[in-house]
Amino acid sequence: MTSRSVITGGAGFLGSHLAERLLAEGHEVIVLDNLLTGDLGNIEHLLKDRRFSFIHYDVTKYLHVGGKVDFIFHFASPASPKDYLDYPIQTLKVGSLGTHNALGLAKAKGAVFVIASTSEVYGDPLEHPQRESYWGNVNPVGPRGVYDEAKRFAEAMTMAYHRYHGVETRIVRIFNTYGPRMRLNDGRALPTFMTQALQGQDITVYGDGSQTRSFTFVTDLIDGIYRLARSKEHDPVNIGNPRELSIMTFAEKVKELTGSKSRIVQKPLPVDDPKIRQPDITRARTKLGWEPKVSLEEGLRLTLPDFERRLKAAGPLVLG
Ligand code: UDP
């Protein structure tokens, strides 16, 4: 029988890629999204598929979906530092009330529940690379606290529904992911650097650029999430590419790829910006047989045409 999947936040960057993968695997897909940071343009091409439906809905309100549901992927949330600074209360609400509602729906339907968690649960980490057993170093009252704590609460709530109600739950800790469809002005490093490089503007590196991140190409991430959903793993699983590089090196790579003449300039480092980040993916390797396949160079090449096309349509943007 066909699986039926609900994706909250399915009109966002990751949700829309996940929807495509699930359709390709033969699922019916129902997307719920209030379009706060999502975009109908991300799923327009899926609307003509009879197995796909979109409901404009705020999942912090009571949730009802008719018929059977096999999987619920709770992916709704502002997800870039700029977005959760712009929408702090919505971020807290979707991580807490939204997670509670989505778990309630999973319980009622007997569905597998997958929560999109984040490497941000590790905060500015004191353990490196980060294993799932690390509890993190998070400032609850700093500007990033609204996201970090909402996701930490969401993980706690998910484990409570698993332990107390026996819901089949999965927790994916997503590390920095990039690829086509990232919002041009979401403020993250990749869309900002690509836009600046392609438009010949200064590329804005925050701080001295020595802080590190480990970037995963979106199809690798989605493959890890798909494997996790089908596994029996209740404990959190890091999905990310362990190749770590400094943000300055990342900016240089984007500049080189685009052949841009932009200058790389430095701007103040945001408060609580993590200094290092790299996933330990032993658990994903051993439990899911997963590891990333797309190199950073290849992933950037695959991302470039989408940015060129959308920037042509959007016209000049000033970012950073
Ligand atoms: N960053 C930067 N310039 C920008 C945007 C981001 O130097 O225009 C830095 C940011 O300070 C952080 C890293 O790039 O150290 C990754 O930032 P992003 O917002 O992509 O995600 P984060 O990993 O901080 O959630």
mmCIF file of all heavy atoms in Angstrom, residues 62-100:
data_model
loop_
_atom_site.group_PDB
_atom_site.id
_atom_site.type_symbol
_atom_site.label_atom_id
_atom_site.label_comp_id
_atom_site.label_asym_id
_atom_site.label_seq_id
_atom_site.Cartn_x
_atom_site.Cartn_y
_atom_site.Cartn_z
ATOM 1 N N TYR A 62 -4.169 23.730 16.359
ATOM 2 C CA TYR A 62 -4.573 22.325 16.398
ATOM 3 C C TYR A 62 -4.501 21.712 14.997
ATOM 4 O O TYR A 62 -4.940 22.316 14.024
ATOM 5 C CB TYR A 62 -6.007 22.211 16.948
ATOM 6 C CG TYR A 62 -6.499 20.783 16.946
ATOM 7 C CD1 TYR A 62 -6.108 19.903 17.941
ATOM 8 C CD2 TYR A 62 -7.324 20.314 15.915
ATOM 9 C CE1 TYR A 62 -6.529 18.588 17.928
ATOM 10 C CE2 TYR A 62 -7.752 19.004 15.899
ATOM 11 C CZ TYR A 62 -7.357 18.142 16.909
ATOM 12 O OH TYR A 62 -7.761 16.841 16.884
ATOM 13 N N LEU A 63 -3.960 20.508 14.922
ATOM 14 C CA LEU A 63 -3.707 19.879 13.615
ATOM 15 C C LEU A 63 -4.675 18.749 13.355
ATOM 16 O O LEU A 63 -4.856 17.872 14.204
ATOM 17 C CB LEU A 63 -2.318 19.223 13.649
ATOM 18 C CG LEU A 63 -1.114 20.018 13.197
ATOM 19 C CD1 LEU A 63 0.102 19.097 13.166
ATOM 20 C CD2 LEU A 63 -1.358 20.619 11.835
ATOM 21 N N HIS A 64 -5.252 18.760 12.183
ATOM 22 C CA HIS A 64 -6.062 17.606 11.782
ATOM 23 C C HIS A 64 -5.742 17.261 10.328
ATOM 24 O O HIS A 64 -5.713 18.147 9.476
ATOM 25 C CB HIS A 64 -7.559 17.905 11.923
ATOM 26 C CG HIS A 64 -8.400 16.812 11.332
ATOM 27 N ND1 HIS A 64 -8.565 15.594 11.971
ATOM 28 C CD2 HIS A 64 -9.058 16.725 10.156
ATOM 29 C CE1 HIS A 64 -9.314 14.818 11.206
ATOM 30 N NE2 HIS A 64 -9.631 15.481 10.097
ATOM 31 N N VAL A 65 -5.520 15.995 10.070
ATOM 32 C CA VAL A 65 -5.348 15.517 8.693
ATOM 33 C C VAL A 65 -6.231 14.288 8.559
ATOM 34 O O VAL A 65 -6.152 13.367 9.384
ATOM 35 C CB VAL A 65 -3.861 15.152 8.408
ATOM 36 C CG1 VAL A 65 -3.714 14.514 7.026
ATOM 37 C CG2 VAL A 65 -2.966 16.379 8.513
ATOM 38 N N GLY A 66 -7.113 14.281 7.549
ATOM 39 C CA GLY A 66 -8.018 13.143 7.364
ATOM 40 C C GLY A 66 -7.290 11.927 6.802
ATOM 41 O O GLY A 66 -6.256 12.060 6.158
ATOM 42 N N GLY A 67 -7.825 10.745 7.096
ATOM 43 C CA GLY A 67 -7.274 9.517 6.502
ATOM 44 C C GLY A 67 -6.043 9.025 7.223
ATOM 45 O O GLY A 67 -5.614 9.582 8.231
ATOM 46 N N LYS A 68 -5.452 7.968 6.651
ATOM 47 C CA LYS A 68 -4.277 7.393 7.331
ATOM 48 C C LYS A 68 -3.037 8.248 7.075
ATOM 49 O O LYS A 68 -2.951 8.956 6.057
ATOM 50 C CB LYS A 68 -4.044 5.968 6.838
ATOM 51 C CG LYS A 68 -3.476 5.888 5.426
ATOM 52 C CD LYS A 68 -2.651 4.615 5.227
ATOM 53 C CE LYS A 68 -1.926 4.669 3.893
ATOM 54 N NZ LYS A 68 -0.835 3.735 3.769
ATOM 55 N N VAL A 69 -2.122 8.207 8.012
ATOM 56 C CA VAL A 69 -0.821 8.867 7.834
ATOM 57 C C VAL A 69 0.244 7.887 8.324
ATOM 58 O O VAL A 69 0.129 7.340 9.425
ATOM 59 C CB VAL A 69 -0.727 10.186 8.642
ATOM 60 C CG1 VAL A 69 0.652 10.810 8.485
ATOM 61 C CG2 VAL A 69 -1.798 11.182 8.209
ATOM 62 N N ASP A 70 1.265 7.669 7.513
ATOM 63 C CA ASP A 70 2.324 6.729 7.899
ATOM 64 C C ASP A 70 3.551 7.421 8.482
ATOM 65 O O ASP A 70 4.204 6.882 9.373
ATOM 66 C CB ASP A 70 2.745 5.898 6.675
ATOM 67 C CG ASP A 70 1.564 5.150 6.083
ATOM 68 O OD1 ASP A 70 1.042 4.259 6.776
ATOM 69 O OD2 ASP A 70 1.129 5.490 4.959
ATOM 70 N N PHE A 71 3.861 8.597 7.937
ATOM 71 C CA PHE A 71 5.036 9.341 8.420
ATOM 72 C C PHE A 71 4.670 10.811 8.602
ATOM 73 O O PHE A 71 3.974 11.385 7.755
ATOM 74 C CB PHE A 71 6.188 9.290 7.397
ATOM 75 C CG PHE A 71 6.777 7.928 7.195
ATOM 76 C CD1 PHE A 71 6.286 7.087 6.198
ATOM 77 C CD2 PHE A 71 7.832 7.486 7.992
ATOM 78 C CE1 PHE A 71 6.839 5.829 5.999
ATOM 79 C CE2 PHE A 71 8.390 6.225 7.803
ATOM 80 C CZ PHE A 71 7.891 5.391 6.804
ATOM 81 N N ILE A 72 5.182 11.398 9.681
ATOM 82 C CA ILE A 72 5.074 12.859 9.849
ATOM 83 C C ILE A 72 6.488 13.402 10.000
ATOM 84 O O ILE A 72 7.231 12.979 10.898
ATOM 85 C CB ILE A 72 4.235 13.213 11.088
ATOM 86 C CG1 ILE A 72 2.816 12.685 10.887
ATOM 87 C CG2 ILE A 72 4.231 14.729 11.323
ATOM 88 C CD1 ILE A 72 1.943 12.829 12.100
ATOM 89 N N PHE A 73 6.843 14.283 9.102
ATOM 90 C CA PHE A 73 8.150 14.936 9.160
ATOM 91 C C PHE A 73 7.896 16.357 9.646
ATOM 92 O O PHE A 73 7.297 17.158 8.916
ATOM 93 C CB PHE A 73 8.795 14.956 7.774
ATOM 94 C CG PHE A 73 9.150 13.585 7.239
ATOM 95 C CD1 PHE A 73 8.222 12.837 6.507
ATOM 96 C CD2 PHE A 73 10.401 13.041 7.465
ATOM 97 C CE1 PHE A 73 8.548 11.583 6.008
ATOM 98 C CE2 PHE A 73 10.737 11.778 6.973
ATOM 99 C CZ PHE A 73 9.807 11.051 6.245
ATOM 100 N N HIS A 74 8.342 16.666 10.871
ATOM 101 C CA HIS A 74 8.085 18.007 11.406
ATOM 102 C C HIS A 74 9.288 18.900 11.090
ATOM 103 O O HIS A 74 10.260 18.947 11.833
ATOM 104 C CB HIS A 74 7.822 17.921 12.910
ATOM 105 C CG HIS A 74 7.475 19.244 13.524
ATOM 106 N ND1 HIS A 74 6.670 20.186 12.902
ATOM 107 C CD2 HIS A 74 7.828 19.804 14.704
ATOM 108 C CE1 HIS A 74 6.556 21.246 13.680
ATOM 109 N NE2 HIS A 74 7.259 21.036 14.769
ATOM 110 N N PHE A 75 9.175 19.589 9.961
ATOM 111 C CA PHE A 75 10.280 20.408 9.459
ATOM 112 C C PHE A 75 9.974 21.899 9.509
ATOM 113 O O PHE A 75 10.783 22.711 9.057
ATOM 114 C CB PHE A 75 10.614 19.989 8.006
ATOM 115 C CG PHE A 75 11.552 18.815 7.962
ATOM 116 C CD1 PHE A 75 11.277 17.654 8.670
ATOM 117 C CD2 PHE A 75 12.734 18.867 7.233
ATOM 118 C CE1 PHE A 75 12.147 16.574 8.664
ATOM 119 C CE2 PHE A 75 13.614 17.800 7.217
ATOM 120 C CZ PHE A 75 13.333 16.649 7.926
ATOM 121 N N ALA A 76 8.796 22.265 9.997
ATOM 122 C CA ALA A 76 8.438 23.689 10.026
ATOM 123 C C ALA A 76 9.274 24.417 11.076
ATOM 124 O O ALA A 76 9.297 24.003 12.230
ATOM 125 C CB ALA A 76 6.949 23.824 10.345
ATOM 126 N N SER A 77 9.950 25.459 10.672
ATOM 127 C CA SER A 77 10.626 26.397 11.590
ATOM 128 C C SER A 77 11.436 27.390 10.771
ATOM 129 O O SER A 77 12.045 27.002 9.772
ATOM 130 C CB SER A 77 11.602 25.679 12.536
ATOM 131 O OG SER A 77 12.267 26.630 13.365
ATOM 132 N N PRO A 78 11.448 28.660 11.212
ATOM 133 C CA PRO A 78 12.498 29.527 10.679
ATOM 134 C C PRO A 78 13.825 28.841 10.993
ATOM 135 O O PRO A 78 13.966 28.243 12.069
ATOM 136 C CB PRO A 78 12.338 30.819 11.492
ATOM 137 C CG PRO A 78 10.899 30.793 11.949
ATOM 138 C CD PRO A 78 10.611 29.336 12.200
ATOM 139 N N ALA A 79 14.791 28.894 10.082
ATOM 140 C CA ALA A 79 15.974 28.049 10.289
ATOM 141 C C ALA A 79 17.298 28.756 10.080
ATOM 142 O O ALA A 79 18.345 28.149 10.291
ATOM 143 C CB ALA A 79 15.895 26.813 9.396
ATOM 144 N N SER A 80 17.275 30.021 9.678
ATOM 145 C CA SER A 80 18.565 30.713 9.571
ATOM 146 C C SER A 80 18.658 31.694 10.738
ATOM 147 O O SER A 80 17.633 32.174 11.233
ATOM 148 C CB SER A 80 18.662 31.472 8.245
ATOM 149 O OG SER A 80 17.889 32.651 8.281
ATOM 150 N N PRO A 81 19.886 32.001 11.175
ATOM 151 C CA PRO A 81 20.015 32.948 12.298
ATOM 152 C C PRO A 81 19.266 34.256 12.050
ATOM 153 O O PRO A 81 18.615 34.788 12.954
ATOM 154 C CB PRO A 81 21.535 33.160 12.393
ATOM 155 C CG PRO A 81 22.117 31.872 11.881
ATOM 156 C CD PRO A 81 21.186 31.427 10.775
ATOM 157 N N LYS A 82 19.295 34.751 10.818
ATOM 158 C CA LYS A 82 18.567 35.996 10.505
ATOM 159 C C LYS A 82 17.073 35.785 10.699
ATOM 160 O O LYS A 82 16.380 36.631 11.279
ATOM 161 C CB LYS A 82 18.868 36.407 9.074
ATOM 162 C CG LYS A 82 18.040 37.587 8.578
ATOM 163 C CD LYS A 82 18.480 37.989 7.173
ATOM 164 C CE LYS A 82 17.605 39.063 6.574
ATOM 165 N NZ LYS A 82 16.271 38.580 6.195
ATOM 166 N N ASP A 83 16.557 34.648 10.225
ATOM 167 C CA ASP A 83 15.114 34.392 10.338
ATOM 168 C C ASP A 83 14.685 34.236 11.790
ATOM 169 O O ASP A 83 13.637 34.728 12.193
ATOM 170 C CB ASP A 83 14.731 33.136 9.552
ATOM 171 C CG ASP A 83 14.722 33.374 8.052
ATOM 172 O OD1 ASP A 83 14.744 34.545 7.636
ATOM 173 O OD2 ASP A 83 14.695 32.382 7.296
ATOM 174 N N TYR A 84 15.470 33.546 12.581
ATOM 175 C CA TYR A 84 14.968 33.395 13.949
ATOM 176 C C TYR A 84 15.214 34.632 14.795
ATOM 177 O O TYR A 84 14.550 34.822 15.803
ATOM 178 C CB TYR A 84 15.338 32.069 14.628
ATOM 179 C CG TYR A 84 16.715 31.504 14.520
ATOM 180 C CD1 TYR A 84 17.741 31.987 15.302
ATOM 181 C CD2 TYR A 84 16.979 30.414 13.698
ATOM 182 C CE1 TYR A 84 19.000 31.418 15.258
ATOM 183 C CE2 TYR A 84 18.238 29.851 13.639
ATOM 184 C CZ TYR A 84 19.249 30.356 14.412
ATOM 185 O OH TYR A 84 20.497 29.797 14.373
ATOM 186 N N LEU A 85 16.072 35.536 14.340
ATOM 187 C CA LEU A 85 16.153 36.849 14.998
ATOM 188 C C LEU A 85 14.949 37.705 14.598
ATOM 189 O O LEU A 85 14.416 38.471 15.388
ATOM 190 C CB LEU A 85 17.429 37.580 14.602
ATOM 191 C CG LEU A 85 18.716 37.072 15.230
ATOM 192 C CD1 LEU A 85 19.907 37.900 14.764
ATOM 193 C CD2 LEU A 85 18.615 37.117 16.751
ATOM 194 N N ASP A 86 14.501 37.555 13.340
ATOM 195 C CA ASP A 86 13.333 38.322 12.864
ATOM 196 C C ASP A 86 12.030 37.778 13.447
ATOM 197 O O ASP A 86 11.065 38.516 13.607
ATOM 198 C CB ASP A 86 13.242 38.257 11.327
ATOM 199 C CG ASP A 86 14.295 39.130 10.655
ATOM 200 O OD1 ASP A 86 14.921 39.948 11.363
ATOM 201 O OD2 ASP A 86 14.512 38.974 9.436
ATOM 202 N N TYR A 87 11.981 36.472 13.695
ATOM 203 C CA TYR A 87 10.742 35.822 14.158
ATOM 204 C C TYR A 87 10.982 34.995 15.420
ATOM 205 O O TYR A 87 10.745 33.781 15.434
ATOM 206 C CB TYR A 87 10.198 34.894 13.064
ATOM 207 C CG TYR A 87 9.961 35.549 11.734
ATOM 208 C CD1 TYR A 87 10.726 35.208 10.626
ATOM 209 C CD2 TYR A 87 8.956 36.509 11.577
ATOM 210 C CE1 TYR A 87 10.510 35.794 9.386
ATOM 211 C CE2 TYR A 87 8.735 37.106 10.338
ATOM 212 C CZ TYR A 87 9.512 36.748 9.259
ATOM 213 O OH TYR A 87 9.292 37.332 8.035
ATOM 214 N N PRO A 88 11.447 35.627 16.508
ATOM 215 C CA PRO A 88 11.832 34.827 17.682
ATOM 216 C C PRO A 88 10.657 34.074 18.297
ATOM 217 O O PRO A 88 10.806 32.916 18.709
ATOM 218 C CB PRO A 88 12.396 35.868 18.650
ATOM 219 C CG PRO A 88 11.863 37.187 18.184
ATOM 220 C CD PRO A 88 11.683 37.075 16.704
ATOM 221 N N ILE A 89 9.495 34.712 18.354
ATOM 222 C CA ILE A 89 8.367 34.069 19.054
ATOM 223 C C ILE A 89 7.777 32.958 18.194
ATOM 224 O O ILE A 89 7.483 31.860 18.689
ATOM 225 C CB ILE A 89 7.336 35.134 19.465
ATOM 226 C CG1 ILE A 89 8.078 36.105 20.395
ATOM 227 C CG2 ILE A 89 6.117 34.502 20.152
ATOM 228 C CD1 ILE A 89 7.323 37.172 21.028
ATOM 229 N N GLN A 90 7.678 33.213 16.886
ATOM 230 C CA GLN A 90 7.208 32.142 15.984
ATOM 231 C C GLN A 90 8.158 30.946 16.046
ATOM 232 O O GLN A 90 7.717 29.787 15.971
ATOM 233 C CB GLN A 90 7.138 32.653 14.537
ATOM 234 C CG GLN A 90 6.043 33.679 14.285
ATOM 235 C CD GLN A 90 6.537 35.107 14.431
ATOM 236 O OE1 GLN A 90 7.438 35.407 15.209
ATOM 237 N NE2 GLN A 90 5.930 36.002 13.683
ATOM 238 N N THR A 91 9.459 31.210 16.167
ATOM 239 C CA THR A 91 10.446 30.115 16.228
ATOM 240 C C THR A 91 10.222 29.274 17.485
ATOM 241 O O THR A 91 10.207 28.032 17.430
ATOM 242 C CB THR A 91 11.877 30.701 16.215
ATOM 243 O OG1 THR A 91 12.038 31.475 15.026
ATOM 244 C CG2 THR A 91 12.927 29.602 16.256
ATOM 245 N N LEU A 92 10.027 29.955 18.603
ATOM 246 C CA LEU A 92 9.767 29.222 19.860
ATOM 247 C C LEU A 92 8.442 28.465 19.786
ATOM 248 O O LEU A 92 8.331 27.334 20.280
ATOM 249 C CB LEU A 92 9.744 30.204 21.039
ATOM 250 C CG LEU A 92 11.126 30.644 21.522
ATOM 251 C CD1 LEU A 92 11.050 31.954 22.293
ATOM 252 C CD2 LEU A 92 11.752 29.558 22.402
ATOM 253 N N LYS A 93 7.437 29.091 19.171
ATOM 254 C CA LYS A 93 6.114 28.443 19.129
ATOM 255 C C LYS A 93 6.116 27.213 18.222
ATOM 256 O O LYS A 93 5.533 26.184 18.555
ATOM 257 C CB LYS A 93 5.049 29.442 18.660
ATOM 258 C CG LYS A 93 4.637 30.409 19.774
ATOM 259 C CD LYS A 93 3.646 31.443 19.285
ATOM 260 C CE LYS A 93 2.283 30.857 19.033
ATOM 261 N NZ LYS A 93 1.323 31.888 18.576
ATOM 262 N N VAL A 94 6.758 27.302 17.078
ATOM 263 C CA VAL A 94 6.700 26.148 16.167
ATOM 264 C C VAL A 94 7.536 24.984 16.716
ATOM 265 O O VAL A 94 7.190 23.815 16.521
ATOM 266 C CB VAL A 94 7.081 26.531 14.722
ATOM 267 C CG1 VAL A 94 8.585 26.710 14.550
ATOM 268 C CG2 VAL A 94 6.542 25.509 13.737
ATOM 269 N N GLY A 95 8.601 25.310 17.452
ATOM 270 C CA GLY A 95 9.413 24.251 18.054
ATOM 271 C C GLY A 95 8.730 23.598 19.243
ATOM 272 O O GLY A 95 8.959 22.419 19.530
ATOM 273 N N SER A 96 7.888 24.354 19.941
ATOM 274 C CA SER A 96 7.228 23.806 21.141
ATOM 275 C C SER A 96 5.791 23.391 20.813
ATOM 276 O O SER A 96 5.493 22.192 20.708
ATOM 277 C CB SER A 96 7.265 24.840 22.265
ATOM 278 O OG SER A 96 6.730 26.087 21.819
ATOM 279 N N LEU A 97 4.904 24.371 20.576
ATOM 280 C CA LEU A 97 3.494 24.039 20.297
ATOM 281 C C LEU A 97 3.364 23.220 19.014
ATOM 282 O O LEU A 97 2.592 22.253 18.951
ATOM 283 C CB LEU A 97 2.661 25.319 20.152
ATOM 284 C CG LEU A 97 2.730 26.309 21.313
ATOM 285 C CD1 LEU A 97 1.898 27.550 21.017
ATOM 286 C CD2 LEU A 97 2.245 25.632 22.588
ATOM 287 N N GLY A 98 4.131 23.614 17.988
ATOM 288 C CA GLY A 98 4.064 22.901 16.702
ATOM 289 C C GLY A 98 4.514 21.456 16.862
ATOM 290 O O GLY A 98 3.904 20.536 16.305
ATOM 291 N N THR A 99 5.570 21.243 17.619
ATOM 292 C CA THR A 99 6.059 19.874 17.846
ATOM 293 C C THR A 99 5.024 19.078 18.630
ATOM 294 O O THR A 99 4.758 17.908 18.322
ATOM 295 C CB THR A 99 7.410 19.912 18.599
ATOM 296 O OG1 THR A 99 8.339 20.663 17.805
ATOM 297 C CG2 THR A 99 7.956 18.513 18.836
ATOM 298 N N HIS A 100 4.420 19.706 19.635
ATOM 299 C CA HIS A 100 3.398 19.017 20.420
ATOM 300 C C HIS A 100 2.229 18.593 19.531
ATOM 301 O O HIS A 100 1.771 17.449 19.581
ATOM 302 C CB HIS A 100 2.930 19.942 21.547
ATOM 303 C CG HIS A 100 2.016 19.274 22.513
ATOM 304 N ND1 HIS A 100 1.017 19.943 23.178
ATOM 305 C CD2 HIS A 100 1.922 17.985 22.909
ATOM 306 C CE1 HIS A 100 0.358 19.097 23.945
ATOM 307 N NE2 HIS A 100 0.886 17.899 23.807
#
